[in-house]
Amino acid sequence: GGELWTTARTVGVRGGVSVNTIGGRRTALSGGLSAALKKGMYADGELSGGTDQGRKGWGVALRLTF
């Protein structure tokens, strides 16, 4: 997977791929976005899909950093 941020670190995007090889082969794709609301406070969102049903879903979060 990978992650990129704007130079001002106000917006970040990420994506990745994983493969489960135990039993039948199942893949999962994921992507996310982070946006700075103010210094040290971020709104995050993520979306996961693919053939691995156990990893499909979405989420949102408010993250504080220091």
Side-chain angles (χ1 to χ4, degrees):
E3 182 174 272
L4 292 171
W5 283 87
T6 60
T7 55
R9 297 201 50 87
T10 55
V11 176
V13 293
R14 68 191 58 79
V17 177
S18 67
V19 179
N20 187 343
T21 59
I22 298 174
R25 182 181 173 126
R26 298 177 308 277
T27 59
L29 306 172
S30 61
L33 176 74
S34 294
L37 303 176
K38 59 190 205 174
K39 185 176 173 97
M41 182 184 292
Y42 295 87
D44 297 325
E46 65 88 10
L47 180 64
S48 300
T51 58
D52 191 339
Q53 295 297 317
R55 295 188 178 191
K56 282 188 174 183
W58 61 273
V60 294
L62 180 62
R63 180 167 46 98
L64 304 173
T65 63
F66 55 92

